[in-house]
Amino acid sequence: MMAAALSRALKLPGKKIHDLGEYDPIRQADSDDSEDDGNLSYQKNGNLQTEVNIEAVLDGDADSAVEMHALKVKQRRPDEPSSAEVQTTEVSDEFTTKARTSLLPCLRTAAFLLTLAFAMVLVLACAFFIPCPRSQPLMISWNRSLGQAAGLPPVMTLWDVNDDQVSDVIVSFSSTGKTRDQRGGLRPQAVLKLHVSVAVLSGVDGSVLWTSLASERLKFIQCGIGYMEGGQGSVCLLVGVNHMLKAVNSSSGSNLWEMKSVYRSHRTPAAPAVLLPDIDGDGFADFLLASRPAALTSRIRDMSFVFVSGANGVLIGHSVFYNVTGEGKLIGPKAYVSGGGVLYILFGYGNIQAVSVRDIYKQANGKGSLPPPLQSQDSVWEQKREGNLSGLLEVYSSNGSVRDLQTLGRRGELGSDILITTRNKLQLLNGQRLLQVWSANGSSIESAPVTGFFNEDNILDFLIRITSGSNTRKSLIIDGSSGKELWKSKLGCHIQGSEASSIPLSDGRSAFLFWAGDCGVKPSMSEVTSLAQRTDSNSQSQYHLYLLHPLYPSVLLELANSTVAVTASAIGILEQQSDAFYVTMTTGSTQGTHESRTGPLLVTGLDLKWAISHSRVVMTLEEEAISTIRKFFSEIRFSAVQH
């Protein structure tokens, strides 16, 4: 029966016994037999063994084949694994290898997801738990009273002292006190003593950030002229009216150094200090100070210059004097960079002369070597000396009628142009050749021009106020490229020329602000919104603050008004809100007192966007354009950088 079953198995259809790659149960069972039987080698694929078995079956000796197979099974060593066990082990090893191989991508994916989850948690923690810089709250207005003005005009400047991205107000003021004897009682004569202080008011709410005492009244306050080591604040320079020169830390007001005898007696500073490169090699920027006689009594007047170390206030060399012949208003001194990159000082009385800082240094320090920043010369300018032994260069002469001088930088070019204002003319000179570019007649010009960008040619334009005819005053904007009129308005009122200013806009142009009296122009009948600052008695309001936008030249916005004259003003930018604020200083008259010639000093800050939203429209357009104008001005954006 066993032989018959084996025979039937061998005759199964589809079995190709002699194919080496086919799997056969009988051959596979015998393929693992490794014993040597009659010098026959049994391969693991069972080819030779299968052929012997088939031959035995074909010879009809099926029983012998079965007995031979049984004998081989008995003779197998006990410790030798069977073919089935070997096959099972191989399959198990292969499965384990495949399992391990398939586990690696899973581990990589899990590691990536864990890393991603950790990063997300870290980002969320930073977003929710680490405080971000907060923008300053929107300011509407603030007022601060500071005793009395320390001289007229009062001294004020803007500078960000606490790094909150908002300019702060730095102002000097004075207070009086009665001197006391050693026992603490008042002296019989009740002598009054003047105390001068410098206060910094926050541009956000007007709160006092710090105060510092000064030994005399101040003529100028300059901030940002140098920076402290380690970046802890900048340097503010306080220039006294007589002899004092003091440097303080802008962040805290602490004293850095002070010079109490920087000038000779009976002299006063002529202009703010000129910031210079480091000329004494101590790593700090230095200054050039100019002074003039306190009393001008003759036509021959002098100008004195002295170099001061920015590190400790020590004088670098001795004072240098220049005799200046002329009469009229003092012009400058102002720093000017020529086309050759050489620093000059422009000044004069009614006329304009120039001297290089290089020449001043040589006279102040002898014939020693020049510091590297002062070694270059401008051959074009030096040709204009024309043998003048005084060392002064003649820049402009107009019979002593020059009233103002401004240097105008050229975008993308080295050097500056020179804008000269006389009694009846505005004139632009090319700074390289000192040749006239254009001239504009202006009858009687009342004040210094205000620079800004009125059109889109990226060239500075100028707002001036003139008197024409019998008490007729006009405001003009002159094109900086041609000298032609771009805008004109006739105002039958008094205009405070010194308080005009411009504000950079986000589109690259400028808005203009100026003070004027009652102009006799009626507002639009549909315009009923009034200023919050306006007093109940409008009849007492004498001065109005107007805003002019270049895209609406026929419209003036009345932003604020005042019953007293504004003595100083400045504009600060709130960059984060694309907003700006306007700071003014006013002084009230004292009644029935001999303590001071000036009254209380009041500093006011006004948010311009808020003021625009509450403004009164003075216009000559049609009535139906009011809504369009309102919408336009509600979207106005100011910028700290002129694009």
Side-chain angles (χ1 to χ4, degrees):
M1 294 177 63
M2 185 176 297
L6 181 59
S7 176
R8 287 194 301 268
L10 294 174
K11 293 180 180 180
L12 288 176
K15 296 292 182 176
K16 296 180 181 180
I17 301 174
H18 295 284
D19 292 341
L20 298 179
E22 287 289 328
Y23 170 78
D24 186 76
I26 298 178
R27 289 187 300 169
Q28 184 65 33
D30 294 336
S31 63
D32 296 332
D33 194 349
S34 59
E35 289 188 357
D36 186 7
D37 186 6
N39 295 327
L40 294 178
S41 297
Y42 295 93
Q43 300 178 3
K44 288 186 178 181
N45 58 8
N47 290 337
L48 182 58
Q49 180 181 353
T50 303
E51 292 177 356
V52 173
N53 292 338
I54 292 175
E55 290 178 357
V57 172
L58 292 177
D59 291 340
D61 195 2
D63 294 336
S64 299
V66 173
E67 291 178 0
M68 183 181 296
H69 178 72
L71 180 60
K72 288 182 179 180
V73 173
K74 290 181 180 180
Q75 291 179 349
R76 182 173 298 155
R77 291 189 300 267
D79 56 347
E80 182 177 329
S82 63
S83 61
E85 293 175 352
V86 172
Q87 182 179 1
T88 303
T89 302
E90 292 177 353
V91 173
S92 176
D93 292 341
E94 182 180 0
F95 177 78
T96 303
T97 303
K98 290 182 178 180
R100 292 177 180 176
T101 304
S102 61
L103 186 60
L104 290 178
C106 296
L107 293 177
R108 294 193 187 99
T109 304
F112 170 75
L113 293 177
L114 288 175
T115 304
L116 181 61
F118 178 76
M120 293 177 64
V121 171
L122 184 61
V123 171
L124 293 176
C126 294
F128 286 99
F129 296 104
I130 298 178
C132 297
R134 297 181 179 179
S135 60
Q136 293 295 336
L138 181 63
M139 177 189 61
I140 296 177
S141 66
W142 52 262
N143 295 279
R144 179 67 61 177
S145 179
L146 293 175
Q148 298 172 344
L152 287 175
V155 184
M156 179 180 68
T157 189
L158 298 185
W159 185 257
D160 183 9
V161 304
N162 53 2
D163 294 331
D164 62 352
Q165 308 303 316
V166 178
S167 298
D168 304 303
V169 184
I170 307 176
V171 59
S172 68
F173 65 97
S174 63
S175 59
T176 57
K178 298 180 179 181
T179 60
R180 297 177 178 271
D181 56 21
Q182 295 180 354
R183 297 181 180 180
L186 292 177
R187 292 182 179 180
Q189 296 181 352
V191 180
L192 299 178
K193 185 178 181 180
L194 182 68
H195 301 281
V196 180
S197 300
V198 176
V200 177
L201 308 181
S202 171
V204 177
D205 54 13
S207 60
V208 178
L209 300 180
W210 57 260
T211 59
S212 178
L213 294 176
S215 58
E216 63 182 27
R217 291 189 297 114
L218 299 183
K219 190 74 175 287
F220 305 106
I221 300 176
Q222 299 173 256
C223 286
I225 59 177
Y227 291 87
M228 306 294 298
E229 292 183 353
Q232 299 298 321
S234 61
V235 177
C236 287
L237 194 65
L238 312 180
V239 183
V241 296
N242 295 320
H243 310 289
M244 187 203 76
L245 185 65
K246 183 178 180 180
V248 299
N249 188 330
S250 66
S251 298
S252 62
S254 59
N255 189 15
L256 301 177
W257 51 260
E258 182 175 358
M259 288 283 291
K260 294 185 178 180
S261 59
V262 67
Y263 306 119
R264 292 184 180 181
S265 60
H266 307 296
R267 301 191 68 84
T268 186
V274 177
L275 183 63
L276 301 175
D278 180 19
I279 61 176
D280 57 358
D282 59 3
F284 290 86
D286 301 313
F287 316 112
L288 179 65
L289 292 176
S291 64
R292 63 171 178 82
L296 302 177
T297 57
S298 64
R299 294 187 60 185
I300 299 179
R301 306 166 185 182
D302 64 74
M303 189 71 64
S304 174
F305 297 94
V306 61
F307 292 93
V308 180
S309 172
N312 48 30
V314 175
L315 301 185
I316 305 174
H318 56 80
S319 300
V320 178
F321 290 84
Y322 292 96
N323 291 326
V324 183
T325 302
E327 60 182 3
K329 181 182 177 181
L330 173 63
I331 305 301
K334 288 190 176 181
Y336 172 81
V337 179
S338 68
V342 178
L343 182 61
Y344 284 83
I345 304 297
L346 307 179
F347 63 94
Y349 291 95
N351 299 319
I352 302 176
Q353 297 173 307
V355 61
S356 67
V357 177
R358 179 179 185 271
D359 289 344
I360 300 175
Y361 184 87
K362 288 171 63 177
Q363 297 184 54
N365 295 272
K367 298 182 179 180
S369 60
L370 291 169
L374 302 180
Q375 291 181 356
S376 58
Q377 284 185 299
D378 192 315
S379 58
V380 177
W381 272 60
E382 292 302 322
Q383 291 177 359
K384 300 180 180 298
R385 190 182 301 273
E386 296 180 355
N388 190 346
L389 299 179
S390 66
L392 299 179
L393 308 177
E394 295 295 332
V395 176
Y396 185 85
S397 178
S398 180
N399 298 324
S401 63
V402 178
R403 292 188 173 185
D404 185 73
L405 166 70
Q406 297 185 40
T407 59
L408 310 173
R410 298 187 293 252
R411 288 185 175 180
E413 299 182 25
L414 186 62
S416 305
D417 292 333
I418 301 175
L419 182 69
I420 299 174
T421 305
T422 65
R423 290 189 179 95
N424 54 12
K425 185 168 54 177
L426 196 66
Q427 191 171 3
L428 183 68
L429 300 182
N430 178 277
Q432 184 65 29
R433 300 289 179 178
L434 296 181
L435 300 177
Q436 177 178 302
V437 178
W438 53 256
S439 178
N441 295 327
S443 299
S444 178
I445 301 178
E446 294 184 336
S447 60
V450 176
T451 60
F453 294 94
F454 193 79
N455 52 16
E456 296 180 320
D457 60 0
N458 289 325
I459 299 177
L460 284 172
D461 307 309
F462 313 104
L463 170 66
I464 60 174
R465 273 66 51 84
I466 64 174
T467 300
S468 177
S470 58
N471 201 27
T472 300
R473 289 174 170 83
K474 298 180 181 179
S475 295
L476 306 175
I477 293 183
I478 304 300
D479 186 7
S481 61
S482 63
K484 298 180 180 180
E485 293 183 4
L486 295 176
W487 176 84
K488 178 173 64 176
S489 175
K490 181 184 295 185
L491 302 176
C493 58
H494 173 72
I495 298 176
Q496 288 184 269
S498 61
E499 302 307 325
S501 55
S502 64
I503 318 172
L505 301 172
S506 59
D507 63 355
R509 300 191 184 191
S510 303
F512 293 85
L513 289 173
F514 59 90
W515 286 90
D518 294 323
C519 297
V521 181
K522 295 182 180 181
S524 169
M525 296 301 296
S526 61
E527 181 59 45
V528 296
T529 305
S530 62
L531 287 173
Q533 274 98 5
R534 185 171 296 147
T535 59
D536 295 335
S537 177
N538 288 335
S539 60
Q540 297 179 356
S541 300
Q542 298 179 2
Y543 304 102
H544 306 272
L545 176 64
Y546 291 101
L547 182 142
L548 169 67
H549 195 287
L551 293 182
Y552 281 90
S554 299
V555 175
L556 292 178
L557 294 186
E558 182 186 341
L559 304 183
N561 52 59
S562 174
T563 58
V564 294
V566 175
T567 56
S569 64
I571 295 176
I573 301 296
L574 304 172
E575 186 68 21
Q576 294 181 352
Q577 293 88 6
S578 298
D579 200 354
F581 66 97
Y582 187 67
V583 181
T584 58
M585 293 179 62
T586 58
T587 56
S589 60
T590 55
Q591 299 178 356
T593 178
H594 60 279
E595 294 183 357
S596 176
R597 294 181 180 179
T598 60
L601 178 65
L602 181 65
V603 184
T604 303
L606 176 67
D607 179 77
L608 287 183
K609 275 192 173 182
W610 180 88
I612 289 173
S613 65
H614 294 75
S615 63
R616 182 170 66 98
V617 178
V618 179
M619 55 178 294
T620 59
L621 296 177
E622 299 296 332
E623 294 292 326
E624 54 267 23
I626 287 290
S627 59
T628 303
I629 295 172
R630 277 293 179 197
K631 181 179 179 181
F632 171 79
F633 279 102
S634 66
E635 299 175 352
I636 191 171
R637 298 173 66 87
F638 302 105
S639 174
V641 180
Q642 193 80 58
H643 299 283

